[in-house]
Amino acid sequence: MERAMGKERPRPLIAGNWKMNGRRADGLALARAVAAGAGNIGAELLVCPPATLLAPVGEALAGTAVALGAQDCHPAPSGAYTGDIAAPMLADLGCRYVILGHSERRAGHGESDALVRAKAEAALAAGLIAIVCLGETEAERDRGEAFAVAARQLAESLPEGAGGTNTVIAYEPVWAIGSGRTPTAGDIAALHGHLRAELAKRFADAARFRLLYGGSVKPGNAKEILAIADVDGALVGGASLKAEDFLAIAMACP
Ligand code: PGA
């Protein structure tokens, strides 16, 4: 279960998904506190504020070690799509990453694998790094379908142009998000190993993809989770809203 020594690993990514939280003052304070603590951290740090805060947080993070990301984008590059935001607009604001296919969007906005794939294509075309989320529901896990669901979402949500340098995978079991519950280290290791093997069937650079774990990652469990083979970082929701907790998770990276 331990990370294989001597094997070349991608640099871990610790990504904060702020979801629909924060007004300007909170977001700026949080971003500044994360940047202030980023100095000695080996992992790459990323914050993904709500769309309303991308511009001010991006300005606050300019010149720091913390990258900026968005939580969604539209598949079209521009057009008559009221309320939506296109990937080139995010790139124009200084975003490096965009989270796509988060379970809250799959469930709350009916996003299919095909739509997530189209969004990922748009993100890559705009020069963004896509963080494609997937993971089984509790019912699917109980039916023994966790591996099959994750493999199907992986196959159908990744566009042809995906690769280890422009795409990150976040495995987030739906039942672990915001619940305080996590799979066992053994279950995460097995699932991530399965995802890596599935990637290897399709991509020559499968080893370079960062496979994040997400779902109730906290300072108290980060060390164990981040030490698992094939876990190359974390997608952090609730705990990313406190700079101290987010930085403690990042410092737990091996
Ligand atoms: P959580 O959320 O850390 O609050 O469980 C993770 C996510 O939804 O990305």
Side-chain angles (χ1 to χ4, degrees):
M1 213 176 298
E2 287 291 311
R3 192 173 289 274
M5 298 303 292
K7 204 170 138 202
E8 208 180 303
R9 305 290 314 174
R11 184 180 179 206
L13 173 67
I14 304 296
N17 175 8
W18 295 3
K19 307 192 179 181
M20 194 173 71
N21 292 295
R23 303 193 181 185
R24 185 187 292 256
D26 319 311
L28 285 174
L30 178 54
R32 288 189 182 121
V34 169
N40 292 322
I41 291 177
E44 185 177 354
L45 292 180
L46 166 68
V47 296
C48 301
T52 49
L53 295 183
L54 285 170
V57 166
E59 278 167 30
L61 293 177
T64 75
V66 184
L68 182 72
Q71 299 175 13
D72 181 41
C73 73
H74 192 277
S78 65
Y81 301 101
T82 303
D84 281 310
I85 300 174
M89 295 170 171
L90 300 175
D92 183 50
L93 271 184
C95 289
R96 281 249 300 284
Y97 290 85
V98 59
I99 299 171
L100 297 172
H102 189 282
S103 72
E104 286 151 15
R105 294 209 59 88
R106 288 179 185 264
H109 297 263
E111 292 197 3
S112 63
D113 289 329
L115 179 59
V116 175
R117 179 187 173 114
K119 289 182 172 194
E121 243 161 47
L124 302 190
L128 297 170
I129 300 174
I131 301 179
V132 176
C133 303
L134 48 87
E136 82 286 357
T137 63
E138 186 154 34
E140 287 164 341
R141 172 158 288 258
D142 290 346
R143 290 199 298 268
E145 295 169 7
F147 278 40
V149 167
R152 188 209 71 222
Q153 290 177 324
L154 185 75
E156 295 180 11
S157 305
L158 291 192
E160 282 315 314
T165 52
N166 63 18
T167 306
V168 175
I169 311 298
Y171 168 60
E172 300 201 298
V174 178
W175 52 274
I177 295 174
S179 67
R181 297 160 60 208
T182 57
T184 65
D187 283 344
I188 297 173
L191 199 296
H192 277 232
H194 182 61
L195 289 176
R196 185 84 66 194
E198 290 295 310
L199 283 172
K201 290 182 188 164
R202 185 167 158 200
F203 300 101
D205 66 345
R208 295 186 68 185
F209 278 77
R210 285 175 294 181
L211 303 185
L212 312 186
Y213 168 78
S216 297
V217 177
K218 305 270 185 283
N221 61 20
K223 197 164 194 291
E224 184 187 18
I225 291 172
L226 292 167
I228 297 168
D230 286 314
V231 172
D232 308 306
L235 181 53
V236 184
S240 74
L241 296 174
K242 266 178 118 181
E244 195 188 333
D245 287 356
F246 185 62
L247 291 167
I249 291 167
M251 279 184 280
C253 275

